[in-house]
Amino acid sequence: MSKKGKKAKMPLSDEEQLLLFQQKLLAEEEMAKKKERLLNQFLKDKLAKEEHNSALNLNKINTQWRTVLREVKTRELHKDIEILSQTFERVVDCKDSVIKSLVKDLSEAEEQYAHALRSHLHNIDRLLALQRRRLSLLEESYNVELEALTKEFETERKTIIDQHEKEIHYLQDVFMAMEQSCIDSEYESKLEFQSMWEDLKNKNLEEKHFLRLQLEHTVEDLWRRFQDALKNYTDATEDRKIAFETLKVKDEKSSKEIEAQMKKIQRLQDSIIILKGKIMVHGRESEEQNRDIREDKELVLVQLRKLKALRTQARGISQEDLVKLTLESNATLKALRKIVDKGEKVLKLAEICRKFETEEEKVLPFYSSVLTPEEQEDIEKIDPEEFNEELGKVIMDYIGMENFWKRYNKVKLEQLSLQHRRAQLLEINEKLREMLKQYLDGISVSDEVLSQLSPRFIVNQSSNLPQPPSMPTAQPGDQKPPATYNIIEAAHVIAHIL
């Protein structure tokens, strides 16, 4: 027990303290993350509740405000309806009288309208025929240009494809020729190598045979000497003869084997040296040939890349031209559609405006020229060659629209005159309103009327109007009459005007 207590009281090492500190930090981080998560969740729930409550309150306020607005609006509408009903009755009476007069005029104008309609329809048919001819000419020119462009594109495409195929066949022929030349050179080098190898082999055999003959003669001479020495030696050393013979047999065998191995080694070394030289020579030649072939191949690849780039460039240009052509054709079609829609709109407006034409316009739809005879002569004297081509073309294009511009200018002038007349009528209406107000103020009695100046308001034989300055007393010799003032009531003026 004492040992365990001592172990428990021992201080911790640095590593253990660091681990404990890291564990505490991790635990604190986890607790902080949990707290943040709980806080975020609480805030989200609270925000959702607040949004829900605000939406409910806003809906309640909107409903209450709508009810208030409806009540106010209904009151205003009731007042407006009462006023409008009175004005409507008055306007209806006026309109009835106008309608009666217009019905009489309408019965008289129907015949003139039919005549004017026939002439107008004839002119419209001429305009439509002219426009259709112009559209047909434009369409024919567009189709001709489109066919020319398509033919040119197809011819260029065919020439490029044919040239590309010819160059591909030429490159394939060149590649086949280079490959055949390489195979032929390789075959010739192999034949030369085999012939040289056979020559060297024959030379080595001849030299071997010659050396064998020389060695046999030397060996025979040495053998004879050795036999003589052997006899002397055997006579001197008969005891060691047997051992020597055994060792001699072994020595002969080993010497023969050594000689055979040395000859083989020598032959192999010589053949290796010769073959190395041939290999070096053939390697240099093959490297030079391969270098030349690589250079040719690179040149061919460069030309091929250039041709591909030219082909892609030509294809891109042709594609851009085709895209431009399609865009221009679509733009022209849209422009033509807009022109047709504009013409139809003009025709519809003409049909609508025909209802509002006067009798004079139905009988004489086009007025004569407003130019004087002198101005007309000056215009005729002008040489048409003085105009440039573009201006002449524009003038020729719009000659058929001269009557249209006449009617347009006439309508524009009538519009301006009507605007001027409307302004005059508005001024007259304001004056009549002021007179009616004066009349009503003179009839009714209220605080507002009493606070203003009025000739009807008389108290103790005096009104609230400013009195004119007192006139001097007339002398017996003076004959001037007294000043008089004429007062006309607004009701009298309105009755005579209306």
Side-chain angles (χ1 to χ4, degrees):
M1 292 297 289
S2 61
K3 291 181 180 180
K4 290 181 181 179
K6 289 178 181 179
K7 287 181 180 178
K9 291 178 182 179
M10 286 178 71
L12 297 172
S13 63
D14 295 335
E15 293 179 356
E16 292 176 350
Q17 290 178 0
L18 183 62
L19 290 171
L20 289 171
F21 184 67
Q22 289 178 355
Q23 288 177 359
K24 288 179 181 179
L25 288 174
L26 291 171
E28 290 176 357
E29 287 178 358
E30 289 178 356
M31 291 295 291
K33 288 180 180 178
K34 287 180 181 179
K35 288 179 181 179
E36 287 179 358
R37 289 172 189 168
L38 292 171
L39 184 61
N40 289 327
Q41 188 65 32
F42 175 73
L43 291 173
K44 286 179 181 177
D45 296 336
K46 189 174 181 181
L47 181 63
K49 289 179 181 178
E50 290 293 332
E51 289 178 353
H52 182 67
N53 293 326
S54 63
L56 290 173
N57 293 325
L58 184 62
N59 290 324
K60 290 178 182 179
I61 290 165
N62 287 328
T63 52
Q64 293 176 0
W65 181 244
R66 283 170 186 164
T67 54
V68 173
L69 289 175
R70 286 191 188 112
E71 292 175 357
V72 173
K73 192 68 178 177
T74 50
R75 292 172 189 170
E76 292 178 354
L77 290 172
H78 283 301
K79 291 179 181 178
D80 293 336
I81 288 165
E82 291 176 357
I83 296 165
L84 289 171
S85 63
Q86 294 174 1
T87 56
F88 180 74
E89 289 175 357
R90 186 171 63 254
V91 170
V92 166
D93 295 333
C94 295
K95 294 291 181 182
D96 288 334
S97 61
V98 173
I99 287 165
K100 290 177 182 178
S101 62
L102 288 174
V103 167
K104 292 178 182 179
D105 295 334
L106 183 64
S107 62
E108 294 175 357
E110 283 180 353
E111 295 178 358
Q112 296 176 356
Y113 170 73
H115 179 69
L117 179 63
R118 285 194 295 273
S119 63
H120 180 66
L121 290 173
H122 180 66
N123 292 325
I124 288 169
D125 292 333
R126 289 176 63 192
L127 285 172
L128 287 172
L130 180 63
Q131 189 68 20
R132 287 194 185 95
R133 286 198 297 273
R134 186 168 174 272
L135 287 173
S136 63
L137 290 172
L138 289 172
E139 188 175 2
E140 287 176 359
S141 62
Y142 170 73
N143 291 324
V144 170
E145 291 178 358
L146 181 62
E147 289 177 358
L149 287 171
T150 51
K151 287 179 182 178
E152 186 178 356
F153 174 74
E154 290 294 333
T155 52
E156 288 180 357
R157 184 171 177 273
K158 287 179 181 178
T159 53
I160 290 166
I161 290 167
D162 295 334
Q163 188 177 1
H164 177 65
E165 289 178 355
K166 288 178 182 178
E167 289 175 354
I168 287 170
H169 289 306
Y170 174 71
L171 292 173
Q172 287 177 356
D173 295 334
V174 170
F175 181 74
M176 292 294 290
M178 294 295 291
E179 188 175 2
Q180 189 65 33
S181 63
C182 290
I183 291 166
D184 295 335
S185 61
E186 185 179 1
Y187 181 70
E188 289 176 358
S189 61
K190 284 181 180 179
L191 290 174
E192 289 178 358
F193 175 73
Q194 287 179 359
S195 62
M196 291 176 72
W197 183 71
E198 289 177 356
D199 293 337
L200 290 170
K201 185 177 179 181
N202 293 324
K203 287 180 181 179
N204 289 325
L205 289 172
E206 289 176 356
E207 290 176 356
K208 181 181 177 182
H209 184 66
F210 179 71
L211 291 170
R212 187 182 292 171
L213 293 172
Q214 287 181 354
L215 289 170
E216 284 179 356
H217 289 296
T218 54
V219 167
E220 286 179 355
D221 292 335
L222 291 170
W223 182 253
R224 286 172 189 170
R225 293 176 186 176
F226 182 72
Q227 287 294 327
D228 295 335
L230 183 59
K231 287 179 181 179
N232 295 322
Y233 182 75
T234 50
D235 292 338
T237 58
E238 290 179 358
D239 296 331
R240 297 178 181 177
K241 185 177 179 181
I242 298 167
F244 178 74
E245 287 179 357
T246 56
L247 292 171
K248 184 180 178 181
V249 171
K250 290 180 181 180
D251 188 22
E252 287 177 355
K253 289 180 180 180
S254 60
S255 62
K256 287 179 180 179
E257 291 177 358
I258 289 166
E259 286 178 359
Q261 294 295 328
M262 288 297 289
K263 288 178 181 179
K264 288 180 181 179
I265 289 165
Q266 189 66 33
R267 287 197 300 273
L268 291 171
Q269 287 178 354
D270 295 334
S271 63
I272 287 165
I273 290 165
I274 293 164
L275 291 171
K276 281 182 180 180
K278 290 180 179 180
I279 289 165
M280 291 291 287
V281 173
H282 289 296
R284 290 172 185 172
E285 293 177 354
S286 62
E287 284 179 359
E288 291 177 356
Q289 291 177 358
N290 290 328
R291 194 182 299 112
D292 295 334
I293 291 165
R294 286 194 196 95
E295 291 176 356
D296 295 334
K297 185 180 178 181
E298 287 176 357
L299 291 172
V300 170
L301 289 172
V302 169
Q303 291 179 358
L304 183 62
R305 289 194 194 97
K306 288 180 180 179
L307 292 171
K308 285 183 178 178
L310 291 172
R311 186 187 67 184
T312 53
Q313 188 177 3
R315 188 179 292 170
I317 291 165
S318 62
Q319 191 171 3
E320 288 177 358
D321 293 336
L322 186 60
V323 170
K324 287 180 182 177
L325 181 62
T326 53
L327 291 173
E328 289 176 357
S329 65
N330 290 328
T332 52
L333 289 172
K334 288 179 181 177
L336 292 173
R337 289 195 193 97
K338 287 181 181 178
I339 291 166
V340 172
D341 295 336
K342 194 173 182 181
E344 291 177 354
K345 189 176 179 181
V346 169
L347 293 175
K348 289 179 181 178
L349 290 173
E351 291 177 359
I352 294 167
C353 293
R354 195 181 298 119
K355 299 176 182 178
F356 302 100
E357 288 180 351
T358 60
E359 295 177 359
E360 185 180 357
E361 289 175 350
K362 291 175 182 178
V363 174
L364 297 173
F366 304 109
Y367 63 89
S368 61
S369 178
V370 296
L371 298 174
T372 60
E374 295 176 356
E375 292 175 349
Q376 193 70 29
E377 289 177 359
D378 294 334
I379 291 169
E380 291 176 355
K381 288 178 182 179
I382 295 171
D383 190 3
E385 294 180 356
E386 294 179 359
F387 298 103
N388 54 9
E389 294 182 357
E390 294 181 358
L391 184 59
K393 289 179 180 177
V394 172
I395 292 169
M396 291 302 292
D397 288 336
Y398 288 96
I399 284 172
M401 300 293 288
E402 187 175 358
N403 292 326
F404 171 77
W405 288 117
K406 285 181 180 179
R407 295 192 72 181
Y408 178 78
N409 292 328
K410 187 177 180 182
V411 170
K412 196 71 177 175
L413 290 171
E414 288 179 355
Q415 183 183 2
L416 294 172
S417 66
L418 289 172
Q419 288 177 357
H420 184 65
R421 180 62 180 164
R422 183 173 180 273
Q424 291 179 353
L425 291 173
L426 288 173
E427 290 179 359
I428 294 167
N429 192 10
E430 288 293 330
K431 291 179 181 178
L432 292 174
R433 284 178 184 273
E434 290 177 359
M435 294 171 73
L436 181 62
K437 185 179 179 184
Q438 290 177 4
Y439 173 73
L440 294 174
D441 291 340
I443 293 170
S444 62
V445 177
S446 63
D447 294 335
E448 185 178 358
V449 173
L450 294 174
S451 63
Q452 294 178 357
L453 299 176
S454 176
R456 292 181 178 274
F457 185 67
I458 299 170
V459 179
N460 295 325
Q461 297 181 357
S462 63
S463 66
N464 60 356
L465 289 172
Q467 296 295 327
S470 61
M471 300 296 291
T473 58
Q475 297 294 330
D478 297 331
Q479 294 180 359
K480 292 183 179 178
T484 58
Y485 297 94
N486 295 323
I487 298 170
I488 301 170
E489 292 185 354
H492 181 71
V493 172
I494 291 167
H496 283 283
I497 289 171
L498 296 176

